[in-house]
């Protein structure tokens, strides 16, 4: 059988991770290469050249999926396109007024963030659509032309169009976009009805502005990437991961880049879900610690999703995998504040110059420098020896910081680890409480370049008894790219009570959303993506009439199909009644009370289509030196003196491939592999399971 490959690449803030698997699920290659912030596509091109040198037949790659942080970084760093905004006359201040909520209710002097589009670049257009979708005032084309010309004179290169009630009737937005694309072809333009047609004027307008703000830069990035990979012999369709954990073509991602903002963290959660499913572990808390940040998600059978996400200063209502940043990464800089207190993060040394031990000019100590100086990370084995570190530079940076704290370099390094862990604990514990889970019932699944190094420290702090480190943990986000499904979300704002609904209205809307989903899936899968199956997920945002906040209630697809014509004795549709019953039950589970006698409003109806891609039943990572399963094999180990918890101790050092499946090793143990270092402190023991996962458990 001809060998073909699947290539997953995740561009992180510090490193770009690569996972290449063959059509049998065997991992053909994994590697990490430094990211290139000034030209993100260059890291991918560098990785392809490294794969060709292995050698790998790049032309045999049948699937290429990648995730990038370019969009979210552009948004956070505010270096996107100069963007104009077109709104309905009388609503110029929609971005200024926002929701009139204080970010911190205990701080009465908090500043509101500056909008992405300043007020002088917001133009009011003479048009009006009513809340029921009727046209009250037609779109004035001449007014539109003049406004666009004025914006162009101000230097804008992108335009967002968001008219009142366009979620219900998008006709005016369609006319405006058509006119702009025809008469002003050099401008990137998008409308709210194209991006996300949901009621909530500020959030809908904001997400459209975000799309325009990052759109031209993402367009340029995807064009350069597609040209670059083809020049290097990779002819597979370029695909991009999405915030919801799915994938879509690069062409569509260039038009809807706002849907890729959280693609990197989402890819990691999808990869973690795949690993947990193979290991038959249902309850997992993911711990993704890279060079820049730590991301945490809860998987209870399936990952959780949210339509209430926050990126930088702004809320994003497009559904995404529910991932929370809780702390500092391996490159987070340690510093002393004005009161003489040690802090770690949030500023990161990034990929350039990176931690002091990288030897690229970084002068500030980081978490990575602390691990190197304490002997936990061996400098000459970092990235399999391909990127040796400089312990002397780490020690010098720690010594300078320690002088301000009155500590020597070793104690300063330990203090950095303690503060970093305390930062994580302070955010991790209330996060688990808000999600209503006891972390002691869950397994901590660690990945990212620094996740396995720090995971046991967090686990012992919060009381987690089991830690799982998957094969090739440093490239698990890239693995998530390889195993991700085609997935897209659709929404319809209804805002009617059960009594106001017409007969069969809910069913008709869900059917329309499903048809849109199947059309999208057919278009995307026609570009060479092999699907094994397809399914739909349905839900509704519901609330008691008069309340201001919604609860998303899942609606089983079989209920929708079975009750499409069924009615109760009084003529009420069974489907509506069952949806309301599910809402009452879920409301009581959250708040402890319910009001079955009250009217229930159906605010938004949602549908998600999933095209399941072909996946292997295992992840096999070959190691030609792996003798651990042969009878009589003695692991190749050594002992190294490390400093930890203020104590000098001997730690067993072992290659991951040498860990046996027949016995457990007690900490302190340091397990070295190409893409990370696993540190097991005293109090935990570890062994390898039959899938190659490292399983660590509390002793005693």
């Amino acid at each position: 059988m001809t060998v073909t490959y699947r290539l997953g690449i995740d561009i992180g803030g510090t490193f770009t991770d690569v996972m290449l698997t063959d059509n049998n699920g065997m991992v053909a290659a994994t590697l990490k290469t430094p990211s290139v912030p000034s030209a993100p596509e260059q890291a991918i091109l560098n990785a392809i050249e490294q794969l060709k040198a292995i050698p790998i037949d790049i032309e045999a790659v049948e699937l290429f999926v990648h995730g990038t942080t370019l969009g979210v970084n552009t948004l956070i760093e505010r270096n996107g396109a100069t963007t104009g905004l077109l709104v309905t006359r009388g609503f110029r201040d929609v971005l200024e007024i926002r929701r009139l909520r204080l970010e911190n209710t205990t701080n009465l002097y908090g500043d509101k963030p500056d909008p992405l589009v300043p007020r002088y670049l917001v133009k009011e257009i003479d048009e009006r659509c009513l809340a029921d979708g009727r046209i009250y005032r037609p779109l004035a084309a001449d007014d539109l032309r003049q406004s666009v010309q004025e914006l162009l004179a101000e230097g804008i290169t992108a335009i967002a169009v968001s008219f009142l009630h366009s979620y219900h009737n998008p006709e005016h937005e369609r006319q405006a976009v058509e006119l702009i694309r025809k008469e002003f072809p050099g401008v990137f333009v998008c409308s709210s009805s194209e991006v996300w047609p949901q009621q909530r004027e500020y959030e809908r307008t904001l997400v459209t502005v975000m799309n325009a703000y990052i759109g031209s830069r993402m367009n340029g990035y995807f064009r350069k990437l597609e040209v670059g990979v083809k020049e290097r012999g990779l002819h597979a369709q370029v695909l991009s991961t999405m915030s919801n954990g799915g994938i879509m073509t690069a062409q569509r991602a260039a038009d809807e880049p706002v849907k890729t903002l959280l693609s990197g963290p989402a890819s990691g959660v999808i990869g973690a879900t795949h690993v947990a499913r193979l290991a038959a572990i249902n309850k997992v808390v993911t711990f993704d610690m890279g060079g820049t940040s730590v991301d945490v998600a809860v998987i209870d059978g399936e990952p959780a999703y949210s339509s209430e996400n926050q990126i930088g200063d702004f809320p994003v209502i497009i559904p995404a995998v529910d991932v929370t940043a809780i702390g500092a990464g391996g490159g987070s800089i340690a510093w002393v504040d004005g009161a003489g207190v040690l802090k770690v993060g949030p500023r990161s040394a990034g990929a350039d110059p990176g931690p002091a031990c990288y030897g690229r000019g970084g002068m500030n100590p980081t978490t990575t420098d602390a691990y190197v100086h304490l002997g936990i990370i061996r400098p000459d084995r970092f990235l399999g020896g391909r990127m040796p570190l400089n312990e002397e530079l780490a020690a010098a940076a720690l010594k300078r910081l320690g002088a301000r704290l009155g500590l020597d370099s070793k104690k300063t390094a330990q203090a950095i680890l303690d503060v970093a862990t305390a930062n994580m604990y302070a955010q991790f514990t209330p996060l688990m409480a808000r999600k209503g889970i006891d972390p002691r019932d869950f397994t901590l699944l660690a990945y990212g370049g620094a996740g396995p190094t720090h995971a046991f420290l967090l686990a012992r702090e919060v009381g987690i008894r089991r830690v799982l480190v998957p094969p090739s943990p440093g490239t698990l986000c890239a693995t998530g790219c390889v195993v991700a499904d085609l997935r897209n979300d659709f929404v319809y704002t209804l805002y009617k009570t059960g009594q106001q609904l017409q007969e069969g209205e809910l069913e008709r809307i869900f059917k329309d959303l499903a048809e849109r989903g199947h059309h999208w899936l057919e278009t995307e899968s026609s570009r060479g993506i092999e699907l094994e199956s397809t399914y739909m997920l349905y839900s509704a945002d519901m609330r008691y009439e008069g309340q201001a906040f919604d609860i998303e209630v899942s609606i089983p697809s079989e209920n929708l199909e079975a009750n499409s014509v069924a009615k109760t004795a009084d003529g009420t549709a069974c489907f509506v009644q069952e949806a309301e019953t599910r809402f009452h039950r879920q409301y009581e589970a959250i708040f402890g009370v319910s009001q079955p006698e009250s009217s229930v409003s159906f605010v938004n109806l949602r549908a998600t289509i999933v095209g399941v891609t072909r996946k292997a039943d295992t992840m096999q990572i070959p190691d030609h030196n792996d003798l651990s399963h042969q009878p009589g094999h003695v692991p190749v180990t050594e002992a190294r003196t490390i400093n930890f918890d203020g104590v000098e101790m001997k730690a067993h050092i072992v290659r991951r491939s040498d860990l046996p499946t027949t016995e457990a090793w007690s900490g302190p143990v340091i397990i070295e592999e190409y893409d990370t270092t696993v540190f097991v402190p005293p109090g935990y023991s570890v062994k390898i399971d039959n899938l190659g996962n490292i399983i660590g458990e509390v002793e005693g």
Side-chain angles (χ1 to χ4, degrees):
M1 185 175 68
T2 303
V3 177
T4 57
Y5 299 103
R6 297 177 142 217
L7 176 61
I9 299 181
D10 179 68
I11 305 177
T14 305
F15 285 100
T16 292
D17 306 330
V18 181
M19 171 65 72
L20 186 75
T21 65
D22 66 18
N23 46 14
N24 296 317
M26 178 70 76
V27 175
T30 63
L31 62 90
K32 296 173 77 72
T33 186
S35 297
V36 185
S38 60
E41 73 283 351
Q42 189 59 48
I44 293 179
L45 304 182
N46 293 343
I48 292 174
E49 293 294 342
Q50 293 178 49
L51 289 173
K52 290 168 68 175
I54 288 178
I56 294 292
D57 182 8
I58 291 298
E59 293 186 358
V61 174
E62 64 176 0
L63 181 71
F64 168 42
V65 184
H66 86 295
T68 176
T69 56
L70 178 61
V72 69
N73 288 344
T74 299
L75 189 64
I76 292 173
E77 295 168 9
R78 291 177 178 254
N79 56 7
T82 303
T83 304
L85 172 62
L86 304 179
V87 298
T88 302
R89 186 169 302 283
F91 293 85
R92 186 180 185 184
D93 293 312
V94 60
L95 295 182
E96 300 283 346
I97 295 174
R98 304 191 303 153
R99 283 290 168 198
L100 292 179
R101 294 177 186 151
L102 291 172
E103 297 298 325
N104 183 354
T105 56
T106 62
N107 181 8
L108 301 180
Y109 301 96
D111 295 327
K112 68 175 185 179
D114 294 328
L116 290 174
V117 178
R119 193 173 187 271
Y120 76 94
L121 293 180
V122 181
K123 298 295 182 180
E124 298 175 300
I125 305 301
D126 195 24
E127 68 83 36
R128 187 65 178 264
C129 177
L130 300 180
D132 61 3
R134 289 180 295 130
I135 301 297
Y136 178 73
R137 186 180 299 117
L139 176 70
D142 291 339
D143 186 26
L144 177 67
R145 289 189 185 92
Q146 181 180 345
S147 295
V148 174
Q149 290 169 349
E150 291 173 356
L151 289 173
L152 289 173
E154 293 286 355
I156 64 98
T157 57
I159 293 177
V161 182
S162 183
F163 293 151
L164 197 66
H165 303 310
S166 61
Y167 60 88
H168 205 83
N169 185 349
E171 182 58 31
H172 283 175
E173 286 192 353
R174 289 173 181 165
Q175 293 176 17
V177 168
E178 183 179 343
L179 185 150
I180 294 170
R181 288 176 177 164
K182 180 179 179 180
E183 300 186 14
F184 307 94
V187 179
F188 181 94
V189 59
C190 60
S191 68
S192 70
S193 54
E194 293 174 318
V195 176
W196 193 247
Q198 180 182 331
Q199 187 185 40
R200 293 175 72 177
E201 184 189 9
Y202 166 64
E203 288 84 355
R204 174 169 53 87
T205 301
L206 177 61
V207 79
T208 309
V209 167
M210 288 179 179
N211 198 72
Y213 187 75
I214 67 176
S216 57
R217 189 174 184 187
M218 294 291 284
N219 255 304
Y221 160 76
F222 282 118
R223 284 197 300 270
K224 292 177 184 176
L225 178 61
E226 289 186 310
V227 170
V229 298
K230 287 180 180 178
E231 289 177 347
R232 286 156 179 80
L234 197 159
H235 301 294
Q237 172 76 44
V238 178
L239 303 172
S240 176
T241 53
M242 303 167 64
S243 300
N244 67 2
I247 55 177
M248 62 180 173
T249 60
Q251 294 97 320
R252 191 175 294 273
D255 294 331
E256 303 174 1
V258 72
K259 292 185 177 180
T260 71
L261 287 175
L262 296 172
S263 65
S267 298
V269 175
I270 297 305
T273 303
H274 181 65
V275 168
R277 186 175 295 124
L278 292 177
I281 299 175
N282 293 323
K283 295 181 179 293
V284 165
V285 176
T286 69
F287 180 71
D288 177 9
M289 184 173 178
T292 306
S293 63
V294 171
D295 297 313
V296 170
V298 174
I299 302 172
D300 195 348
E302 293 291 335
Y305 293 85
S306 173
S307 57
E308 299 285 345
N309 301 289
Q310 187 82 12
I311 297 179
D313 296 325
F314 307 111
V316 181
I317 60 173
I318 295 179
V321 173
D322 191 2
V323 181
T324 303
I326 69 160
S332 294
I333 293 173
W335 53 286
V336 178
D337 67 10
V341 177
L342 177 65
K343 305 285 186 178
V344 178
R347 193 161 62 94
S348 173
D352 187 14
C357 60
Y358 279 17
R360 296 176 178 170
M363 302 297 290
N364 298 308
T366 66
T367 307
T368 298
D369 292 303
Y371 274 118
V372 168
H373 188 54
L374 293 174
I376 295 170
I377 293 178
R378 181 162 164 170
D380 60 344
R381 294 179 182 170
F382 192 71
L383 280 187
R386 298 180 187 179
M387 185 178 168
L389 305 179
N390 190 318
E391 193 277 333
E392 292 181 356
L393 291 177
L398 290 162
K399 185 176 180 180
R400 286 192 297 271
L401 181 67
R404 300 187 58 189
L405 297 167
L407 301 174
D408 63 27
S409 59
K410 299 289 187 185
K411 291 181 179 178
T412 301
Q414 182 63 50
I416 289 173
L417 298 187
D418 292 342
V419 171
T421 306
N423 289 343
M424 297 174 195
Y425 176 85
Q427 298 176 66
F428 184 93
T429 302
L431 173 65
M432 296 299 103
R434 287 196 301 272
K435 295 181 180 298
I437 69 172
D438 186 341
R440 293 172 296 183
D441 298 332
F442 284 69
T443 296
L444 190 68
L445 197 156
Y447 56 98
T453 315
H454 206 93
F456 285 88
L457 304 191
L458 178 63
R460 71 174 186 171
E461 195 74 16
V462 300
I464 292 179
R465 300 186 61 83
R466 182 166 61 177
V467 176
L468 185 153
V469 182
S472 192
T475 59
L476 191 69
C477 289
T479 302
C481 295
V482 171
V483 301
D485 297 320
L486 279 174
R487 183 185 182 108
N488 203 7
D489 303 286
F490 301 87
V491 66
Y492 182 90
T493 294
L494 181 63
Y495 217 115
K496 288 184 178 181
T497 64
Q499 293 81 3
Q500 294 170 332
L501 288 169
Q502 298 176 7
E503 182 179 335
E505 186 173 4
L506 280 189
E507 293 91 323
R508 287 194 298 271
I509 296 172
F510 276 124
K511 182 179 179 181
D512 178 66
L513 292 175
E515 289 176 353
R516 289 168 55 191
H518 285 293
H519 175 72
W520 177 89
L521 191 65
E522 289 173 5
T523 302
E524 296 295 283
S525 60
S526 66
R527 295 172 171 141
I529 304 174
E530 181 182 345
L531 299 180
E532 290 191 336
S533 61
T534 301
Y535 63 91
M536 296 290 306
L537 300 171
Y538 300 99
S539 65
D541 296 341
M542 303 170 67
R543 64 173 69 163
Y544 286 117
E545 188 176 11
Q547 290 189 336
F549 298 94
D550 311 326
I551 295 175
E552 185 176 356
V553 178
S554 64
I555 299 175
S557 57
E558 57 268 22
N559 284 17
L560 181 61
E561 296 164 1
N563 290 292
S564 58
V565 295
K567 295 182 180 179
T568 59
D570 63 359
T572 305
C574 288
F575 176 68
V576 174
Q577 197 171 76
E578 287 187 13
E580 291 179 341
T581 299
R582 293 176 71 90
F583 167 75
H584 294 309
R585 191 182 304 127
Q586 190 167 328
Y587 191 97
E588 185 169 4
I590 296 172
F591 299 106
V593 296
S594 63
Q595 304 170 34
E597 70 285 353
S598 300
S599 296
V600 176
S601 293
F602 292 80
V603 182
N604 300 302
L605 305 184
R606 300 179 183 272
T608 299
I609 189 162
V610 181
V612 180
T613 59
R614 179 174 54 84
K615 304 175 183 66
D617 294 330
T618 184
M619 275 186 58
Q620 306 174 55
I621 300 183
D623 187 332
H624 299 299
N625 298 316
D626 187 1
L627 305 173
S628 60
H629 304 307
Q630 295 187 9
H633 169 64
V634 178
V636 177
T637 65
E638 60 182 86
R640 186 162 73 229
T641 300
I642 66 171
N643 282 270
F644 181 67
D645 282 346
V647 178
E648 192 173 272
M649 61 183 71
K650 291 283 187 180
H652 287 292
I653 315 299
V654 61
R655 294 180 309 186
R656 180 167 188 151
S657 59
D658 275 328
L659 271 177
T661 58
T662 55
E663 61 179 297
W665 286 42
S666 297
V669 176
I670 295 174
I671 305 165
E672 296 179 337
E673 53 185 309
Y674 163 72
D675 54 358
T676 192
T677 297
V678 183
F679 175 51
V680 184
Y684 282 86
S685 62
V686 290
K687 65 179 180 180
I688 291 281
D689 69 7
N690 58 0
L691 296 172
N693 298 307
I694 294 175
I695 305 293
E697 299 196 37
V698 173
E699 293 183 319

